[in-house]
Amino acid sequence: MSQPELQTTATVPANKLSSRAASWRAFYRKLAKNKAALAGAFIVLIFFLLALFAPIIAPHDPLHIDISKKLEGPSAEHWLGTDDKGRDILSRLLYGSRISLTVGVLSTVLGAAVGILMGIIAGYYGRWIDSLLMRICDVLLAFPGILLALAIVSVLGASTTNVIIAVAFFAIPTFARIVRGSTLSVKKLEYIDAIRAMGASDSRIIFKHILPNIVSPIIVQATLYIASAIITASALSFLGMGTQPPDPEWGTMLSQGRSYIRQAPHITLFPGLVILIVVIGFNLFGDGLRDALDPKSKK
C-alpha cells in the first residue's frame, strides 16, 4: 500500500473520533449549564451509592426485630426511628433502595429492549408488520399502567421478579412508538439509501446505521421511565402485590406503617419522602438529558 493510501486510511477514523469527541463536549457543556439537571444527577448518584454500600452504611440489621423498641421516634440510636416491630427504619430504607432501584432499572431495560426491537422493525419494514406491531401497542396503551401491572402480577403471583416483568410490560409500547417515529425519520435520509444501494443487509442498516442515530430519545425516555417504574413498583408493594415482607421495600414500608400513621407518623413519612426525592431526581435528570441531547437547543 502506498503512502497516500495509508494516510487516507488513518485520517478517516481520526476524523470520526474528533467529531464524536466534539459532540460529547457539546453535550457536557449543555448539561453542565442546567443546574436542575445537575441536582437530579447528584440525587440519582447518591441513591445508587447508598444502595451499593448499604451493608456498610446501615447502622442495624434491617430484619432484626426488637419489640421492646417498637414505634420509637428518631433518636441517637435510631436516627429515623423504628417501625411496629422495632426494626431500624434508616437501615430498612437503605436496603430498600437496592430493591426499588433494581426494579426500576431492570424493568426499564427489559421493556426498552423489547420496545426498541418492535419499534425499529415496525418503522423500517412498514406495511403489515408496522400495522400489526402498532395495534399490539395500542392494546397495551389502552390500559392504565397500574391496572395492567396489577393484572399481570395477579396472574403471575406477588414477587419482586414478577413486579419487574409487569412494570416492563407497560414500558414496551412507549419505547416502541418513540423508536418507530425516529426510525421513520432516519430511514428517509439519503445516506441510508446509499448504504442500501451498496448492498448492505437490513440487519446491518438497522443496527449499525439507524439505531446509533436514534439513541438520544431512548436514553431520555429510559431515564424518565425509571421514576415511573419506581412509583408503580411501590404502589404494587403497597397493595400487597409486590415485594413481600419482611423484605424492606419502600412501598411495603408505607403499607405496614399506615395503621400507625397517627401514633407514629415517621414510619410512613420517611419512606414517602425517599420515594418523592428519588422520583424528582430522575425527572430532573431526564429533563436535563432531553435538553442537552436536543440538537435544536441553542441554550
Side-chain angles (χ1 to χ4, degrees):
M1 185 180 290
S2 63
Q3 177 117 12
E5 288 177 339
L6 284 171
Q7 289 178 350
T8 304
T9 306
T11 303
V12 174
N15 289 337
K16 287 184 178 179
L17 288 174
S18 61
S19 62
R20 287 179 182 177
S23 62
W24 277 109
R25 284 196 296 269
F27 164 73
Y28 284 125
R29 282 197 297 269
K30 285 184 179 180
L31 191 62
K33 292 179 181 179
N34 192 328
K35 304 303 180 185
L38 292 179
F42 178 76
I43 292 172
V44 170
L45 177 62
I46 287 296
F47 272 94
F48 271 108
L49 290 176
L50 290 176
L52 181 63
F53 296 106
I56 301 173
I57 302 172
H60 301 277
D61 183 351
L63 303 179
H64 177 67
I65 296 176
D66 188 354
I67 299 299
S68 64
K69 295 182 179 180
K70 69 175 184 178
L71 303 180
E72 287 187 357
S75 63
E77 183 180 2
H78 301 283
W79 290 4
L80 301 183
T82 60
D83 63 6
D84 59 314
K85 294 179 177 61
R87 296 171 297 195
D88 184 66
I89 292 178
L90 175 58
S91 300
R92 290 179 64 78
L93 287 175
L94 290 172
Y95 275 87
S97 64
R98 291 185 145 196
I99 299 175
S100 295
L101 290 176
T102 298
V103 171
V105 172
L106 288 184
S107 60
T108 301
V109 170
L110 182 59
V114 178
I116 290 169
L117 187 60
M118 288 178 61
I120 206 165
I121 290 175
Y124 184 80
Y125 289 104
R127 298 184 180 179
W128 66 269
I129 297 178
D130 185 17
S131 299
L132 175 62
L133 293 177
M134 288 303 101
R135 294 303 75 74
I136 294 174
C137 292
D138 290 340
V139 171
L140 294 177
L141 288 172
F143 297 93
I146 187 65
L147 293 181
L148 181 61
L150 272 172
I152 296 172
V153 172
S154 299
V155 173
L156 299 178
S159 70
T160 303
T161 302
N162 292 339
V163 167
I164 293 174
I165 295 173
V167 177
F169 218 81
F170 184 66
I172 292 173
T174 305
F175 281 98
R177 285 189 168 277
I178 290 174
V179 172
R180 174 184 176 271
S182 300
T183 302
L184 287 173
S185 299
V186 173
K187 81 169 187 177
K188 295 178 181 177
L189 299 178
E190 292 181 357
Y191 82 94
I192 297 294
D193 294 332
I195 294 168
R196 188 182 293 111
M198 293 172 64
S201 63
D202 289 344
S203 60
R204 181 179 178 85
I205 294 173
I206 289 173
F207 293 107
K208 189 170 182 179
H209 298 283
I210 294 181
L211 186 58
N213 285 289
I214 62 174
V215 72
S216 296
I218 295 173
I219 293 174
V220 173
Q221 179 60 30
T223 306
L224 294 173
Y225 189 79
I226 292 175
S228 300
I230 291 174
I231 293 177
T232 304
S234 298
L236 290 173
S237 297
F238 181 83
L239 296 172
M241 302 295 291
T243 303
Q244 297 299 297
D247 290 340
E249 199 273 340
W250 294 339
T252 304
M253 294 175 67
L254 280 173
S255 178
Q256 293 173 338
R258 59 181 172 176
S259 301
Y260 307 95
I261 196 165
R262 296 195 178 199
Q263 184 180 357
H266 63 278
I267 300 179
T268 54
L269 174 64
F270 293 119
L273 282 176
V274 167
I275 294 172
L276 176 65
I277 293 171
V278 170
V279 169
I280 289 175
F282 274 106
N283 282 328
L284 289 176
F285 185 46
D287 288 339
L289 284 177
R290 181 179 56 199
D291 294 339
L293 294 171
D294 185 5
K296 297 178 182 178
S297 176
K298 301 293 185 182
K299 296 180 181 180

